[in-house]
Every structure is written in C-alpha cells, then in structure tokens.
Amino acid sequence: MRIALLGNQESWYCKKLSDAANACGHASFRLEFRDLASHVLETQQEHFFSYEAESSHIKLNDFDCLIIRTMPPGSLEQVVFRMDLLGRLEHSGVTVFNSPRSIECAVDKYLTTSRLAAAKLPVPTTAVCESSEAAMQQFQQMGGDVVVKPLFGSEGRGIFRISDPDLAYRSFRTLERTQAVIYLQQYISHPGFDIRILILNGNVIGAIRRHSNNDFRTNLSRQAHAEPYLPNDYEAELAVRAAELTHAEFAGVDLLYRSHSPNECYVLEVNAVPGWRGFQSVTKVDVASLVIEYLEQKRNNVGSAQS
C-alpha cells in the first residue's frame, strides 16, 4: 500500500506508523494540512494534491490510505475546506482513517456530547451557549462549580475550572467578546483518576488509568502518570458504544467516576485522533502495527468487493 500520514513532520506518532508500515512492505509519506489542495478541471475531474516546499506536488489520489494524525487550529473557512477535501478524497476511493465524518463529530465537543446523551450514555450536565448571561445562568444552576472547555481542542489545552462567580462572569464575558462558543460542564468530584480506553474496529485493544496529583485534568501531556488497567464489561461497553456513535473506527474514550459513587461513570470525551504514547509505554501494546494491520484488512476487503 501507499500510505499518507497527515500530521506534523516531527510527530512521534507519524514515525511509529511509518516504521510499522515500512516493516510490512508499504510505502509511507508524511503530509501537512497546509499543503493540501484540490484542482477541479473542465473535464469534470478532480485531482487532490499535497504541495511541497520545492513547488513539486504529490497526487493524493494515488494513495491507498490516508491516516489523520492531527487537526490543527484554523479559521472556519480552513476547517470547512479541510473536511470537505477529506470527504471528497474518501469518495474518490482513498481510505481516510478515521473517516471525515468521525473526525468532524469527535472534534466537536457539543456534537459528541449531544449524540452520546441522545443514545442514553451517561455524560456530565453540559451547557453550550454564546452569551455570558446564559452562561452565568447555567453556572448557577450547576451549583457554581463548572469546567469550561473550548469547543474544539485536545490534551487539556484551554480547559479551566471556575467556582468563583466574579471570575466566572469575567471569563464568560471575555469568551463572548472573542465570539467563542461557551461550553461548560458541571464539575464532577472524582477520585483523582480517569480511564482511557482505546478502541479499534469496535474492539478494546487496551486501557490505562491516568492519575494526577495536582491538577483536575489527567492528561499525560500535563504530567499525569498512567498505569495499565483492565476495564470491566460495562466500561468496555460504554467505550465501544461511544466510538460507534461518533463513527470512529479508532478512538480514545475517556471515562470518569464520581467520588464515593462507584456506580456513577461518565463518558467525558471521544477522541478520533487519539494519542497512545503513554498508553504504549505502560501496556507495551504496539498500536501502530495494529493500525497498519487493520488498514491492510480494510483495503483487502475493498479489493474483494470490487472484484
């Protein structure tokens, strides 16, 4: 196979995927979002390219698979164009992993939370609005202790907890002035850890428990530490169902228990571009090789269906 890795050039994840692909005899190439382009011709054909610094270009249509390993910030126009291009590329026959529709859902915290709640999965009480007045009303209804998150974001960036009304008002006003959507969830007192379960093709490939001693966020990028974890049947079912609802074939699902309430487990997030560096360091599961093996099977199935 010819595999495109859409991510930062220095990405550890791209290197691991490239090494796994090369070990199986596949060719891999690293691309970046800023270089993607489309040409729609008078002949009603469309060609997709990645432009290099030397003004040469790579035809994306020639790839068998494109693995998305990043979703960098951008303007609304840039984000819409990226998702549209990936969708059209998938329509042309390239396997895009995860699919554009799963990326589009999982990257949007509101859409993900809404879908999970509609399917009766347990999620924290959540409010999404644009005005500071509405946010203050929800802040008070949630008991005056909330976690504010950017609608788009990962690795705990831009997340903060507010329990002071004056600070809440100033924060919401600032977000309103910058034309941000205000996304807040009721703070859940937890025992200092959460659970990250990795899903591939509807199956649990492993899990870790992440601890933080000095931060309510348990992201490993924020110096939390991890240990291997064996999820029970209910936790595994929640994670698999959450991934299905976002159409993510490969996902990291985060679960959180309320302190002193062992039966209250919430789905916090579904990440369709999940990191696994910390996961692999403690579980020794070779995630990159599993991903490449899965894409081999997926492309073989496509070939069999076409023949």
Side-chain angles (χ1 to χ4, degrees), residues 210-257:
R210 304 181 298 187
H211 298 260
S212 180
N213 296 325
N214 51 17
D215 196 330
F216 73 93
R217 295 165 294 187
T218 57
N219 306 83
L220 298 183
S221 60
R222 296 188 172 274
Q223 284 69 58
H225 63 276
E227 63 184 10
Y229 181 77
L230 180 63
N232 60 39
D233 290 344
Y234 177 65
E235 294 162 347
E237 180 183 351
L238 277 182
V240 169
R241 184 69 180 126
E244 288 176 348
L245 289 167
T246 58
H247 308 291
E249 296 170 280
F250 181 44
V253 180
D254 296 340
L255 307 179
L256 184 72
Y257 280 93

Side-chain angles (χ1 to χ4, degrees), residues 113 115-123 237-239 241-243 245 265 267:
T113 302
R115 283 191 182 178
L116 297 182
K120 308 303 180 184
L121 269 66
V123 297
E237 180 183 351
L238 277 182
R241 184 69 180 126
L245 289 167
C265 181
V267 182

Side-chain angles (χ1 to χ4, degrees), residues 156-173:
R157 291 188 293 265
I159 296 178
F160 55 98
R161 178 184 174 188
I162 300 179
S163 56
D164 178 86
D166 292 334
L167 181 58
Y169 178 75
R170 291 196 296 272
S171 299
F172 298 153
R173 286 288 289 168

Side-chain angles (χ1 to χ4, degrees), residues 14-274:
C14 286
K15 182 180 186 308
K16 291 299 180 183
L17 288 165
S18 179
D19 290 345
N22 295 341
C24 293
H26 308 302
S28 62
F29 304 81
R30 299 194 195 188
L31 310 177
E32 295 195 25
F33 266 108
R34 66 183 181 184
D35 295 325
L36 301 188
S38 166
H39 290 175
V40 180
L41 307 177
E42 292 181 1
T43 57
Q44 288 80 52
Q45 293 180 311
E46 183 173 9
H47 298 299
F48 306 94
F49 296 97
S50 173
Y51 281 86
E52 302 297 303
E54 300 83 10
S55 297
S56 62
H57 59 269
I58 299 173
K59 288 185 64 176
L60 300 181
N61 310 67
D62 291 340
F63 287 106
D64 298 291
C65 303
L66 183 148
I67 303 175
I68 302 173
R69 274 312 313 166
T70 186
M71 182 54 68
S75 68
L76 178 60
E77 286 187 347
Q78 289 174 317
V79 172
V80 170
F81 167 66
R82 292 168 188 166
M83 300 311 302
D84 289 345
L85 185 147
L86 291 172
R88 296 304 300 160
L89 187 63
E90 182 180 55
H91 188 264
S92 76
V94 177
T95 297
V96 180
F97 182 82
N98 276 305
S99 70
R101 70 170 180 168
S102 68
I103 297 289
E104 189 173 13
C105 177
V107 79
D108 181 341
K109 288 185 175 65
Y110 161 66
L111 184 56
T112 297
T113 302
S114 179
R115 283 191 182 178
L116 297 182
K120 308 303 180 184
L121 269 66
V123 297
T125 298
T126 303
V128 189
C129 54
E130 294 188 25
S131 75
S132 56
E133 290 83 1
M136 279 303 298
Q137 184 178 29
Q138 294 297 326
F139 170 77
Q140 308 215 346
Q141 289 180 356
M142 291 183 192
D145 194 355
V146 302
V147 176
V148 182
K149 303 178 179 180
L151 198 64
F152 305 139
S154 62
E155 297 183 337
R157 291 188 293 265
I159 296 178
F160 55 98
R161 178 184 174 188
I162 300 179
S163 56
D164 178 86
D166 292 334
L167 181 58
Y169 178 75
R170 291 196 296 272
S171 299
F172 298 153
R173 286 288 289 168
T174 298
L175 291 170
E176 182 181 36
R177 290 192 188 101
T178 59
Q179 297 183 313
V181 172
I182 306 171
Y183 179 101
L184 56 155
Q185 291 185 319
Q186 187 174 47
Y187 175 72
I188 297 174
S189 177
H190 57 83
F193 66 84
D194 71 356
I195 299 164
R196 161 62 66 94
I197 301 179
L198 273 187
I199 303 294
L200 180 61
N201 190 29
N203 298 304
V204 174
I205 62 175
I208 56 175
R209 191 159 64 175
R210 304 181 298 187
H211 298 260
S212 180
N213 296 325
N214 51 17
D215 196 330
F216 73 93
R217 295 165 294 187
T218 57
N219 306 83
L220 298 183
S221 60
R222 296 188 172 274
Q223 284 69 58
H225 63 276
E227 63 184 10
Y229 181 77
L230 180 63
N232 60 39
D233 290 344
Y234 177 65
E235 294 162 347
E237 180 183 351
L238 277 182
V240 169
R241 184 69 180 126
E244 288 176 348
L245 289 167
T246 58
H247 308 291
E249 296 170 280
F250 181 44
V253 180
D254 296 340
L255 307 179
L256 184 72
Y257 280 93
R258 186 185 294 276
S259 293
H260 312 302
S261 299
N263 295 322
E264 287 191 61
C265 181
Y266 299 88
V267 182
L268 287 186
E269 184 176 354
V270 181
N271 191 328
V273 188

